[in-house]
Amino acid sequence: MRTVLISGGGIAGAALALLLRRGGFAPVVVERAPGVRTGGQAVDIRGAALDVVDRMGLLPEARRMRTRIRGMSMLDADGREVERSTEYALSSGRLDSEDIELLREDLVRSLHEHTRDDPAVEYVFGDAITSLHEHEGGVRVGFAHGPERDVDLVVGADGQHSGVRRLAFGPAQDFTRHLGSYLSVFSADNFLGLEDWQVWLRDGDAGFGIMPVRDNAELRIAFGFESGPLDGDHRDTEWLRRLVVDRLATLRWESDRLVKAALEAPDFYCDALAQIRMDQWSRGRAVLLGDAGYCASPLSGQGTSLALVGAYVLADALARTPGDHRTSFAAYETRMRPFVEANQALATENPGGPPSEESMTRAKNAITLPGAAR
């Protein structure tokens, strides 16, 4: 049984582990965090990704986990409602769509639960890949904490700041296209008393969207602000937290409670909005998946769908030519690249707002899936 080492236990990595196992491989998932990550924004499963989730047998479960938003309000900088809709929400699009919005942590947990008890699937938490040395027949992989391993293939599903990409291809700046802003996501108690209703506000070069989750007991706050690339460590949570707190403090509405929430949130997250653009996604026995190879940014609304579709296409390609990774990787890229390009374009076509409904419909369906992964 061929061993595939997957760096990253998020949506892309966990989905690939499930699909590879069904194809007869032995996946090993290495995740830097000490356990399955919690927190994060609501994400969307759209178009071709719905078909992927259906083929995985997880569509009914995904529908049960979907958010229950009834509508949204647009507020001015002082918190006064200037527009409302019960047909559309900025986080998800049309509320009568077949597309599914759910919390990122719920999707990751579901994917993990469907693989964690399989003896052929291994999860290694609290560790990270530090070296890759390809040799005849495989790759010797070094880790920050665990012993070296020999594996057949390595998949970088480790996000925008991929360590596998750095080791196999070079520094991040060679492939990163900054989109002019930063996004922070964190949780708080429902201090606004929202009931299945989200609110959006813009104040100068900053703004936020707030939606209730967990039967309206909790809020997920997505705060963004315009900025060029900042000189700091993307893993320095406290530096990023202070940066966000300083920006929140300048808002005219609810700034005090938003600052308090950002300071206290155990799941605080912040990163630059950027895209990853690469001429190829594989080198030798290493290949990239999801944000590691083709991050479209949250502005596209399609990061989760790209991860799910990419995992399916890669697993299918590996299952079709199990002893020939070069042919598998080439087939994966040939099928995925037009889909990736269509969805990355969503983030840049309308910098001041979400993609148009017409563009989203076209992009989310811009791929024909191969037959069921074996």
Side-chain angles (χ1 to χ4, degrees):
M1 187 178 295
R2 304 188 80 208
T3 302
V4 180
L5 184 68
I6 303 168
S7 177
I11 293 169
L16 182 63
L18 190 157
L19 291 162
L20 285 177
R21 179 65 191 101
R22 293 180 180 178
F25 293 85
V28 178
V29 182
V30 179
E31 166 58 47
R32 181 184 297 272
V36 177
R37 290 182 187 266
T38 59
Q41 72 273 30
V43 298
D44 298 281
I45 305 172
R46 296 185 168 115
L50 285 170
D51 195 8
V52 169
V53 173
D54 190 21
R55 295 187 190 192
M56 294 170 76
L58 304 181
L59 189 56
E61 183 177 352
R63 285 177 172 152
R64 286 195 299 272
M65 295 188 295
R66 71 189 310 163
T67 61
R68 303 297 174 185
I69 294 297
R70 297 179 293 108
M72 70 165 190
S73 296
M74 300 293 295
L75 311 179
D76 66 15
D78 294 307
R80 295 185 292 260
E81 184 178 79
V82 295
E83 184 181 345
R84 67 166 37 213
S85 175
T86 56
E87 299 178 353
Y88 180 88
L90 281 179
S91 68
S92 60
R94 291 195 59 85
L95 297 177
D96 60 359
S97 171
E98 288 297 312
D99 299 342
I100 297 172
E101 180 185 62
L102 72 170
L103 292 180
R104 179 193 179 280
E105 63 185 348
D106 289 348
L107 179 55
V108 174
R109 184 177 63 249
S110 173
L111 292 167
H112 178 250
E113 287 175 351
H114 282 84
T115 53
R116 66 182 180 187
D117 296 327
D118 190 321
V121 180
E122 181 183 357
Y123 277 88
V124 179
F125 290 105
D127 210 343
I129 294 174
T130 57
S131 64
L132 299 173
H133 298 290
E134 188 166 335
H135 55 81
E136 186 177 353
V139 185
R140 173 150 290 193
V141 183
F143 300 89
H145 303 294
E148 290 185 336
R149 294 187 185 216
D150 283 301
V151 300
D152 294 296
L153 301 172
V154 175
V155 179
D158 43 354
Q160 180 177 323
H161 302 283
S162 170
V164 171
R165 187 185 65 235
R166 175 178 52 79
L167 291 169
F169 293 88
Q173 60 263 31
D174 292 350
F175 312 107
T176 302
R177 180 179 297 184
H178 187 71
L179 297 181
S181 56
Y182 280 72
L183 175 68
S184 176
V185 181
F186 50 94
S187 299
D189 292 335
N190 190 356
F191 59 79
L192 293 177
L194 296 175
E195 296 185 4
D196 300 324
W197 193 268
Q198 58 184 235
V199 296
W200 294 82
L201 178 148
R202 178 84 180 188
D203 186 348
D205 65 356
F208 58 76
I210 302 178
M211 64 184 296
V213 298
R214 307 297 182 215
D215 294 324
N216 298 308
E218 183 182 314
L219 298 177
R220 287 293 161 88
I221 300 164
F223 172 69
F225 57 92
E226 295 177 12
S227 172
L230 297 170
D231 186 16
D233 182 356
H234 70 274
R235 296 194 186 280
D236 187 345
T237 301
E238 293 315 307
W239 169 68
L240 290 165
R241 194 190 301 263
R242 176 49 56 188
L243 189 71
V244 168
V245 164
D246 290 345
R247 297 291 183 121
L248 285 168
T250 68
L251 298 178
R252 305 206 311 255
W253 186 69
E254 291 291 351
S255 61
D256 289 345
R257 290 201 283 188
L258 288 167
V259 164
K260 182 174 185 292
L263 286 171
E264 296 177 353
D267 59 352
F268 177 87
Y269 162 88
C270 181
D271 204 350
L273 292 179
Q275 291 190 338
I276 300 299
R277 300 290 188 99
M278 304 184 69
D279 293 333
Q280 63 184 76
W281 302 325
S282 66
R283 180 161 291 174
R285 291 178 175 268
V287 64
L288 302 176
L289 171 65
D291 282 357
Y294 38 86
C295 176
S297 93
L299 294 175
S300 72
Q302 278 290 86
T304 294
S305 292
L306 284 172
L308 291 168
V309 173
Y312 186 88
V313 173
L314 178 56
D316 180 84
L318 289 169
R320 289 178 185 275
T321 53
D324 184 356
H325 63 276
R326 292 180 181 85
T327 298
S328 297
F329 292 167
Y332 159 63
E333 183 158 343
T334 296
R335 189 177 291 271
M336 277 296 293
R337 189 166 287 277
F339 185 59
V340 166
E341 291 174 351
N343 283 281
Q344 285 187 326
L346 293 175
T348 56
E349 73 162 19
N350 183 22
S356 69
E357 186 175 346
E358 179 183 0
S359 295
M360 176 61 77
T361 299
R362 182 171 58 251
K364 73 183 183 181
N365 295 305
I367 190 170
T368 300
L369 295 176
R374 292 171 290 186

